[in-house]
Amino acid sequence: MSEELLAPGAGEVEDLSAAELLALARSRKSAEDRAAADLLDVAARWADLHPPESIHAAASFTVPGSQHEEPIAGEGAPLVAEFCCAELGTVLGITSTAAKKLIGHALELRHRLTRLWAQVQAGQVPAWRARAVADTTIHSTPPLTPEAAGFVDAQVAAVAGRIGTAQLDRLVAETIKRYDLATTDPTQDPEDGYLHVDPRHVTVDTDDVHYAGTMRIEAEVDIADALDLDRAVTHHAATQAALGSLLPLDARRAKALGDLARTQTALELAFADGGVQWSGFEARSARTSTTDESEPNLPAARQVVIHAHLDASFSGDTTVFGPTGRMENGRRLVLLDQIRSWCADSRTEVTIKPVIDLNSELTAQGYKVPADIREQVQLRDRMCVFPFCSRPARRCDVDHIIPWDDDAEAEGRPQPGPTTTSNLACLCRFHHRLKTHSAWRYAMTAPGAYEWTSPHGHRYRRDHTGTTDLDPPEPPDVAAPPGVPRPRRR
């Protein structure tokens, strides 16, 4: 039998005593802190390998869309080549934006918060505390000069990084005053500051959805508009009560606001089942029949599109939808009954649109991607298909995986990069530029599944389930702390 050593937790960790478990926890936390400090150092060194000079050495002229110098830390920190963030991010299993933030924090600490950087590398301050300080000094408004950042560094290092968010904000505010960095803000004038501010707004908090299926709306409008809206909502709420509604007054007023909105909007619901898009329930604003001849039909002023994806199956000639699905915007859970209630509301005309099969191969003759092919590709990919990116597909470019050749037809050659479903993918603008102007390459291995290769040869698979590292690193052989036995495999 082999006596291969395992990391604690895989074999006999349940046999450790309480004291040994505490020692193991302390050791692992210390190792985690050390690894985080090392990662900051690696990020800074990675930036050192990709200075702006690396961009200029690669080409003697600027190509539109190519990478540029990226200032990702404060004044006095070095610039980096923009595209370097992507490969570090994929190796770490994070987005390019998160990798950019990591590199920015490392450079801010090493070049502007030098005392705090030394404490992190000495193990005196956890990396996460130092990164919180760096994030604040990077995004300070107005920006901190190197001297001002050094003042903040000295104050924070004096307490070994033990400073809360509120204290840090006060320290930065004091620094801005001390170094006279603030500019006059006319909106803060106690007498006529209001003349420089327009407070009107309507905000729908789409990020905070209540379990009851509601959202919060906040608004600041003109007095006349507010009074008109109040009268309209009060009238609609009273009408609902007269028609037999048993809802409380506040619920009827909320429902009245939705009724008012539906007189000016259209609602389209698109259902998708695996490879088939069930595009239906296009709800257009239209008044129902009424005995009041003086109330005219109101046309839709604009169209609001809501895409909901639900599982669907066939029972004979009938399509049967599952009880739950997801909203494409935000990928939140949605109930089929909710969608039915939206479609069944008054003044809503429901139209069933043709089905789009996501597995079919659609082709266009030219370079431009037609609307129907774009829609199919967006529904198939759902998000930017670069590893770990989560930008929604509808906010992405549609990229020709094999580039379109403008000279192919004139030279009598077959088009190597046709505008066809199997040669198109959704990429956000940054990763589209990255693919076009760097050594990153990818190919579609199945509908909606892609294999990427980085400039240094790392490979990743991206599909609707997420990103998979095709060359995962070997697990490290982590030593147990002193006094803690290493479990063994029998």
Side-chain angles (χ1 to χ4, degrees), residues 251-274:
R252 282 184 279 118
R253 286 176 64 85
K255 187 174 176 61
L257 195 61
D259 289 340
L260 290 172
R262 276 183 290 275
T263 64
Q264 296 297 319
T265 60
L267 180 68
E268 178 187 271
L269 302 179
F271 299 90
D273 171 33

Side-chain angles (χ1 to χ4, degrees), residues 188-353:
Q188 299 304 312
D189 190 316
E191 293 188 2
D192 58 1
Y194 72 94
L195 296 175
H196 301 274
V197 178
D198 188 341
R200 293 176 297 178
H201 73 98
V202 176
T203 303
V204 181
D205 190 355
T206 58
D207 294 328
D208 185 13
V209 181
H210 194 275
Y211 289 111
T214 61
M215 289 182 180
R216 181 175 295 274
I217 300 175
E218 179 183 342
E220 182 105 10
V221 300
D222 290 332
I223 294 176
D225 292 338
L227 295 176
D228 287 343
L229 179 62
D230 181 61
R231 281 192 292 269
V233 168
T234 300
H235 172 72
H236 278 249
T239 301
Q240 293 175 46
L243 293 175
S245 175
L246 300 178
L247 294 174
L249 176 60
D250 284 342
R252 282 184 279 118
R253 286 176 64 85
K255 187 174 176 61
L257 195 61
D259 289 340
L260 290 172
R262 276 183 290 275
T263 64
Q264 296 297 319
T265 60
L267 180 68
E268 178 187 271
L269 302 179
F271 299 90
D273 171 33
V276 179
Q277 179 197 0
W278 298 92
S279 180
F281 304 111
E282 180 181 345
R284 299 191 179 277
S285 172
R287 290 278 189 178
T288 52
S289 298
T290 175
T291 57
D292 186 359
E293 296 295 335
S294 64
E295 190 171 19
N297 291 336
L298 296 178
R302 65 180 61 87
Q303 184 180 33
V304 175
V305 181
I306 299 178
H307 294 273
H309 299 261
L310 295 97
D311 292 332
S313 59
F314 290 99
S315 177
D317 295 333
T318 304
T319 303
V320 180
F321 293 104
T324 61
R326 63 178 179 83
M327 296 294 292
E328 183 176 303
N329 182 18
R331 298 183 291 280
R332 296 184 182 90
L333 183 68
V334 65
L335 300 177
L336 181 60
D337 288 342
Q338 285 181 296
I339 298 174
R340 285 174 175 156
S341 68
W342 295 340
C343 296
D345 207 295
S346 62
R347 298 187 299 277
T348 298
E349 178 183 338
V350 177
T351 304
I352 305 299
K353 296 181 69 176

Side-chain angles (χ1 to χ4, degrees), residues 15 24 64 76 87 116 121-122 133 139 141 146 156 175 183 198 207 249 262 267 351 362 395 422 426 468:
D15 297 332
L24 181 61
E87 187 158 18
L116 199 54
Q121 296 307 315
V133 177
H139 297 104
T141 303
V156 175
T175 303
T183 56
D198 188 341
D207 294 328
L249 176 60
R262 276 183 290 275
L267 180 68
T351 304
L362 302 181
R395 294 163 55 189
S422 59
C426 292
T468 303

Side-chain angles (χ1 to χ4, degrees), residues 69-232:
E69 301 174 355
E70 186 81 357
I72 58 179
E75 179 188 350
L79 304 178
V80 298
E82 177 192 19
F83 290 163
C84 77
C85 303
E87 187 158 18
L88 181 63
T90 53
V91 168
L92 296 178
I94 58 178
T95 65
S96 301
T97 301
K100 176 180 175 180
K101 182 179 291 187
L102 171 65
I103 297 172
H105 290 168
L107 294 178
E108 180 79 359
L109 286 164
R110 192 179 68 176
H111 292 271
R112 291 179 15 117
L113 307 175
T114 55
R115 296 177 181 86
L116 199 54
W117 171 264
Q119 290 179 331
V120 170
Q121 296 307 315
Q124 299 169 352
V125 175
W128 65 269
R129 285 187 181 275
R131 290 189 63 181
V133 177
D135 193 68
T136 300
T137 57
I138 289 173
H139 297 104
S140 169
T141 303
L144 299 182
T145 62
E147 294 76 18
F151 176 77
V152 173
D153 180 36
Q155 305 306 309
V156 175
V159 294
R162 296 183 181 90
I163 184 170
T165 302
Q167 292 174 303
L168 182 58
D169 288 342
R170 286 195 294 269
L171 174 59
V172 171
E174 177 188 341
T175 303
I176 291 172
K177 290 182 180 179
R178 175 183 290 263
Y179 288 87
D180 196 23
L181 301 177
T183 56
T184 303
D185 184 357
T187 66
Q188 299 304 312
D189 190 316
E191 293 188 2
D192 58 1
Y194 72 94
L195 296 175
H196 301 274
V197 178
D198 188 341
R200 293 176 297 178
H201 73 98
V202 176
T203 303
V204 181
D205 190 355
T206 58
D207 294 328
D208 185 13
V209 181
H210 194 275
Y211 289 111
T214 61
M215 289 182 180
R216 181 175 295 274
I217 300 175
E218 179 183 342
E220 182 105 10
V221 300
D222 290 332
I223 294 176
D225 292 338
L227 295 176
D228 287 343
L229 179 62
D230 181 61
R231 281 192 292 269

Side-chain angles (χ1 to χ4, degrees), residues 381-393:
D381 291 343
R382 304 184 184 180
M383 292 179 286
C384 169
V385 302
F386 187 82
F388 302 107
C389 187
S390 58
R391 188 173 294 273

Side-chain angles (χ1 to χ4, degrees), residues 411-473:
E411 296 176 359
R413 295 182 288 105
Q415 177 57 245
T419 304
T420 186
T421 302
S422 59
N423 190 47
L424 297 173
C426 292
L427 289 177
C428 69
R429 181 58 54 87
F430 173 75
H431 291 128
H432 192 176
R433 292 170 48 233
L434 179 79
K435 174 257 182 179
T436 303
H437 300 287
S438 76
W440 278 92
R441 292 294 177 261
Y442 75 124
M444 186 185 298
T445 58
Y450 306 88
E451 183 174 317
W452 285 85
T453 302
S454 78
H456 286 82
H458 295 275
R459 299 183 304 119
Y460 306 90
R461 174 185 168 86
R462 177 63 191 260
D463 56 28
H464 71 278
T465 64
T467 302
T468 303
D469 190 342
L470 297 180
D471 303 302

